[in-house]
Amino acid sequence: QVQVVESGGGLVQPGGSLRLSCVASGSILKINYMDWDRQAPGKQRELVARITSRGQTHYADFVKGRFTISRDNVRNTVYLQMNSLEPEDTAVYYCNAYGIQNIGSTFDSWGQGTQVTVSS
């Protein structure tokens, strides 16, 4: 079993910054990729950014140039540095990890989410 735990959310003023962290733990052989997704009230969950085990990144158009995803493969940790935050970025941010367990089966694990609120 693989657990994913996010941290770092909070309240920030427009134009401010926050850094989210996510740690995956458990019977992990390899993490293929880790995502940050978000869900705003009344809206569907959407992909924000993804990083592969090789460090390849993908960003949603609405965060390009403002958010940066990075990863520590040794610690099974992924970060999301969010700059120039806008009220539209207000959402619950979820971390997702996809990979292979020690027993050989795949896993696709989500965290409980961390609230990010951008407001003056």
Side-chain angles (χ1 to χ4, degrees):
Q1 191 173 1
V2 176
Q3 297 80 38
V4 174
V5 178
E6 307 98 335
S7 62
L11 173 64
V12 63
Q13 292 186 342
S17 298
L18 279 177
R19 188 191 194 210
L20 306 183
S21 299
C22 168
V23 179
S25 62
S27 58
I28 299 170
L29 177 63
K30 179 184 178 183
I31 298 178
N32 290 21
Y33 62 79
M34 298 182 79
D35 291 348
W36 283 102
D37 297 67
R38 71 184 188 186
Q39 187 166 18
K43 294 187 177 181
Q44 290 187 329
R45 190 173 297 190
E46 58 187 357
L47 177 67
V48 175
R50 170 175 291 176
I51 188 165
T52 70
S53 60
R54 296 183 178 183
Q56 296 170 312
T57 58
H58 168 78
Y59 295 94
D61 287 343
F62 53 79
V63 301
K64 283 182 179 178
R66 300 189 298 125
F67 292 9
T68 302
I69 189 169
S70 60
R71 178 171 171 173
D72 183 336
N73 288 336
V74 173
R75 294 179 173 83
N76 291 333
T77 299
V78 65
Y79 306 96
L80 186 68
Q81 178 65 43
M82 305 186 293
N83 299 328
S84 302
L85 283 161
E86 304 167 353
E88 294 74 23
D89 295 317
T90 296
V92 178
Y93 284 71
Y94 297 90
C95 180
N96 171 240
Y98 178 84
I100 303 171
Q101 297 187 73
N102 290 332
I103 59 174
S105 61
T106 60
F107 66 88
D108 186 3
S109 299
W110 291 84
Q112 294 298 308
T114 184
Q115 177 70 47
V116 172
T117 302
V118 185
S119 175
S120 56

